[in-house]
């Protein structure tokens, strides 16, 4: 139920895998593209030029940054290289947002969710959130959580549309983010048989912590 690895006879257009050191430039480019798009729309959650490598390399080193490739070959996005989408999923609750009363250990946390603009609107972000929700159940946790821009009702509405509930907004002057959302582990859809549009190739050699 909690595995979305394709069978040998199943063809899926994308492959999910853990990011490696060799993916750093592609991930940085994707995050910079997304950050620029957000900032042009007035959303200041991410730095306008994207993230420095020092913010991303630890996620790769911890094995908690995942990316979608086009087809079975790493780095293949329309022949141009770089991931189609990315997200980080871990058990690290931001201490400025999540308190002891939230039972931080009961959840997995989504960070750095981004979809290439030439794949926007295709449902990949929603599918990655569903995959993350399945990981919540597989690891015996209860909640999938994230924080997003506290001043962007459109972005918050998107997460509400993905079955997330707004818990509260933490208004810190040095943070653009602060709107806290969570949803129960599992899929967003009412039907339990939703197929994810990618093959899970995270790799058995990496410990199954997330």
């Amino acid at each position: 139920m909690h595995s979305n690895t394709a069978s040998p006879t199943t063809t899926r257009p994308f492959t999910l895998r853990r990011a490696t050191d060799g993916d750093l430039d592609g991930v940085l480019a994707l995050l910079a593209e997304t950050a620029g798009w957000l900032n042009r729309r007035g959303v200041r959650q991410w730095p306008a030029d994207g993230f420095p490598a020092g913010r991303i390399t630890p996620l790769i080193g911890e094995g908690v940054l995942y990316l979608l490739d086009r087809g079975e070959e790493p780095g293949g996005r329309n022949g141009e290289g770089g991931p189609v989408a990315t997200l980080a999923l871990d058990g690290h609750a931001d201490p400025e947002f999540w308190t002891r009363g939230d039972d931080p250990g009961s959840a997995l946390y989504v960070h750095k969710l981004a979809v290439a603009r030439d794949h926007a609107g295709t449902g990949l972000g929603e599918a990655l959130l569903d995959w993350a929700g399945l990981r919540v159940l597989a690891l015996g946790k209860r909640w999938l959580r994230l924080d997003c821009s506290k001043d962007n009702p459109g972005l918050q509405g998107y997460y509400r549309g993905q079955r997330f509930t707004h818990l509260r907004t933490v208004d810190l002057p040095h943070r653009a983010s602060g709107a806290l959302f969570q949803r129960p582990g599992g899929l967003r859809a009412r039907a339990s048989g939703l197929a994810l549009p990618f093959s899970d190739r995270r790799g058995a050699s990496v410990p199954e912590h997330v």
Side-chain angles (χ1 to χ4, degrees), residues 30 32 62 76 80 101 174 178 196:
L30 173 56
E62 293 171 19
E80 300 172 3
H174 62 288
L196 300 182

Side-chain angles (χ1 to χ4, degrees), residues 8-118:
T9 59
T10 300
T11 299
R12 297 183 184 179
F14 302 103
T15 298
L16 175 77
R17 62 181 178 84
R18 295 180 193 269
T20 67
D21 291 341
D23 295 311
L24 178 60
D25 288 346
V27 171
L28 291 175
L30 173 56
L31 293 174
E33 176 189 52
T34 304
W37 176 77
L38 288 171
N39 276 266
R40 288 191 296 273
R41 294 170 62 89
V43 181
R44 307 296 183 221
Q45 176 163 328
W46 288 358
D49 296 326
F51 293 94
R55 290 281 299 277
I56 305 304
T57 51
L59 300 176
I60 295 176
E62 293 171 19
V64 298
L65 186 68
Y66 304 90
L67 55 82
L68 287 183
D69 281 320
R70 184 68 156 167
E72 298 295 328
E73 296 186 9
R77 177 160 69 91
N78 291 339
E80 300 172 3
V84 171
T86 187
L87 92 163
L89 182 68
D90 58 36
H92 302 319
D94 189 322
E96 289 194 319
F97 293 151
W98 303 99
T99 70
R100 182 177 299 180
D102 295 316
D103 190 11
S106 66
L108 293 181
Y109 299 83
V110 172
H111 318 276
K112 309 296 184 293
L113 174 62
V115 176
R117 299 314 306 156
D118 56 359

Side-chain angles (χ1 to χ4, degrees), residues 167-180:
L167 296 180
R168 63 184 180 275
T169 296
V170 179
D171 190 8
L172 300 175
H174 62 288
R175 300 287 296 271
S177 189
L180 307 187

